[in-house]
């Protein structure tokens, strides 16, 4: 991610739209007067990384519970 040299906003790329709408100058003017945007690598704590990994895993139980519910509904309807 890149950080705007004036306002510090984080974005994927410093765009002409951001420069015009927020700072009333073109991207070229902004970089000439204030320098290039700083590349920032977002860092996450270990606990957050572990939570993301755990939350994204699909377990066998995620499939078995809904399937059991459908089977019980089918038996009731028969």
């Amino acid at each position: 991610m890149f950080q705007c040299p004036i306002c510090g906003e984080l974005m994927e790329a410093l765009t002409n739209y951001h420069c015009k709408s927020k700072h009333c100058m073109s991207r070229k003017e902004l970089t000439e007067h204030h320098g290039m945007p700083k590349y920032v690598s977002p860092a996450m704590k270990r606990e957050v990384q572990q939570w993301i990994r755990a939350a994204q895993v699909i377990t066998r139980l995620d499939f078995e519970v809904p399937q059991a519910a459908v089977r019980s509904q089918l038996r009731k309807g028969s």
Side-chain angles (χ1 to χ4, degrees):
M1 299 196 74
F2 292 96
Q3 186 175 27
C4 176
I6 297 176
C7 66
E9 184 177 333
L10 294 174
M11 58 198 89
E12 287 188 35
L14 183 64
T15 61
N16 209 35
Y17 176 79
H18 171 83
C19 298
K20 292 270 188 187
S21 63
K22 302 276 182 165
H23 310 297
C24 300
M25 59 177 74
S26 69
R27 183 182 187 280
K28 184 178 179 182
E29 292 169 332
L30 188 136
T31 56
E32 286 173 355
H33 291 98
H34 301 281
M36 293 298 288
K38 179 181 171 187
Y39 179 75
V40 180
S41 178
M44 285 190 267
K45 291 187 174 182
R46 182 185 302 186
E47 296 85 27
V48 174
Q49 290 174 338
Q50 289 173 344
W51 177 82
I52 290 171
R53 250 185 257 117
Q56 290 179 341
V57 174
I58 297 174
T59 65
R60 185 177 193 148
L61 194 60
D62 293 329
F63 292 101
E64 290 177 351
V65 170
Q67 287 177 352
V70 168
R71 280 194 294 270
S72 71
Q73 291 296 320
L74 289 174
R75 277 189 236 131
K76 288 179 184 176
S78 298

